[in-house]
Amino acid sequence: MELKLIKCHGSGNDFLIIDETAVENPLTDTIRKEMALSFCKRSSGLGADGLLFVSQSKVADAKMRIFNADGSEASMCGNGLRCVARYVSEKLGKDDLLIETMKANLYAKKAEPLFGGIPTFRVEISPVLFGLDKLPMRIGKEVLINEQVEALSKDLSFTAVAVPNPHLISFVGNEVFHSDKQKTLSEYVNGPNEIFPDGVNVSFVKPIGKNGLYVRTFERGVGFTNACGTAMSASSLVACLLRMRPFEEMIEVYNNGGKVRCLVHKIETGGDPEFSIDLIGNATYLYGAVVSFDAENPAKFMVRSKKEFTEQAQYEKLEVHAKEVVEKALA
């Protein structure tokens, strides 16, 4: 079997886009999993944090599925959604889109460049769910908002939220960033444990300046990553809930792969308020490739050709700027 793919990234979180409408034979979930395990290896000639499968949808402009490097499927990925939005936008010639994901149909649109001439897209992150049964998280409580959990840490406070990927978020000081607490905690909650049976994304966060945040994330199924779109969105939401940042005002969110912008909406319904987040950031193409592989053994694949794009040079300027801001904040 032969297919074309695009290597891309959102905030340094890199993916391979595979358009299933152009694949000769239908892919099964077993094949998708095996493709993720083999294609995403950094030593494979490709390498990525995950695969983005794009297919036809009966209810939206396209359907997106995300398989992580470990073969697991994620319900959503904000950085990946921006990349898929760009691909579908250019394929259909539309700036406003609706993308079907596992848990929701989400709006996406082309946006003003984030920095220089970087291709930028704005995507909807929702639904927002606080019920611990939705993550799931088992601590004998219904919700967790800025509270300590003794089984996790004796000195850190946590907020748990699904957007819809599950996130555990803690606002911490510089000394914690310079320690191994995040690594130890993340490996625990993503290994055999009684609190998070399905694992969880773990983010440590620090406010920067008047309207900024720094977010470092250990992503479920990936490990420490340059950036996680839903983690940055969830962290922005929690910052607003804790009154560190205002609702309906743009937040500059820095990460190890660059930066994005987040806008958190609070919707009054007469009962409990509802929330949604706009995630605004790059969708950068690195190269296009043609790959041939055996569907019965995707580990045996061959990269037939590659064509490099030239967009990364502009993004690297943003990376330099973001790195300077983060290093100064964590000094």
Side-chain angles (χ1 to χ4, degrees), residues 72-89:
S72 63
E73 184 173 10
S75 56
M76 234 292 282
C77 173
N79 292 331
L81 180 58
R82 298 201 309 273
C83 293
V84 168
R86 176 182 175 181
Y87 178 81
V88 176
S89 172

Side-chain angles (χ1 to χ4, degrees), residues 55-63 97-101 105-106:
S55 60
Q56 291 183 338
S57 170
K58 296 180 180 180
V59 296
D61 292 298
K63 180 178 180 179
L97 302 162
L98 184 65
I99 307 295
E100 179 185 352
T101 68
N105 301 325
L106 301 175

Side-chain angles (χ1 to χ4, degrees), residues 17 23 30 47 65-66 79 82 87 95 145 163 215 279 287 292:
I17 297 178
V23 176
T30 299
R65 294 181 68 183
I66 312 101
N79 292 331
R82 298 201 309 273
Y87 178 81
D95 288 345
I145 305 291
V163 292
V215 179
L279 173 65
Y287 61 75
S292 60

Side-chain angles (χ1 to χ4, degrees), residues 68-284:
N68 294 320
D70 69 350
S72 63
E73 184 173 10
S75 56
M76 234 292 282
C77 173
N79 292 331
L81 180 58
R82 298 201 309 273
C83 293
V84 168
R86 176 182 175 181
Y87 178 81
V88 176
S89 172
E90 294 178 353
K91 179 180 179 180
L92 301 182
K94 296 177 62 175
D95 288 345
D96 293 88
L97 302 162
L98 184 65
I99 307 295
E100 179 185 352
T101 68
M102 182 186 292
K103 296 292 180 67
N105 301 325
L106 301 175
Y107 290 100
K109 67 183 299 181
K110 190 174 182 179
E112 290 297 316
L114 179 72
F115 184 94
I118 293 172
T120 300
F121 280 77
R122 181 176 191 146
V123 298
E124 174 190 2
I125 304 296
S126 68
V128 174
L129 306 168
F130 291 100
L132 297 188
D133 59 325
K134 303 299 183 184
L135 278 83
M137 180 181 186
R138 298 171 179 169
I139 56 172
K141 296 174 66 70
E142 293 184 359
V143 298
L144 181 71
I145 305 291
N146 199 35
E147 294 184 52
Q148 290 188 354
V149 179
E150 189 172 347
L152 299 179
S153 173
K154 294 182 179 180
D155 53 3
L156 300 181
S157 295
F158 299 97
T159 299
V161 60
V163 292
N165 290 346
H167 291 275
L168 186 68
I169 295 163
S170 182
F171 281 77
V172 302
N174 286 1
E175 71 282 357
V176 179
F177 280 111
H178 295 305
S179 73
D180 63 355
K181 287 186 177 182
Q182 187 174 9
K183 180 176 185 294
T184 301
L185 172 64
S186 300
E187 290 178 348
Y188 169 68
V189 296
N190 285 288
N193 73 97
E194 296 181 354
I195 299 175
F196 291 98
D198 298 331
V200 67
N201 302 289
V202 181
S203 293
F204 281 9
V205 188
K206 178 183 177 176
I208 296 177
K210 291 179 62 177
N211 68 335
L213 296 175
Y214 168 59
V215 179
R216 186 175 70 185
T217 301
F218 186 102
E219 191 171 352
R220 181 180 63 169
V222 179
F224 280 109
T225 183
N226 283 326
C228 172
T230 56
M232 293 184 290
S233 302
S235 298
S236 298
L237 168 64
V238 174
C240 293
L241 290 174
L242 301 183
R243 299 183 179 179
M244 297 178 180
R245 294 292 179 265
F247 290 101
E248 305 296 343
E249 289 190 17
M250 202 68 75
I251 301 171
E252 303 281 327
V253 186
Y254 294 87
N255 51 68
N256 290 345
K259 79 167 185 176
V260 300
R261 294 190 177 110
C262 288
L263 187 63
V264 183
H265 305 287
K266 183 178 183 180
I267 306 149
E268 299 292 351
T269 62
D272 292 335
E274 296 180 358
F275 303 93
S276 68
I277 308 116
D278 291 340
L279 173 65
I280 305 158
N282 77 299
T284 299

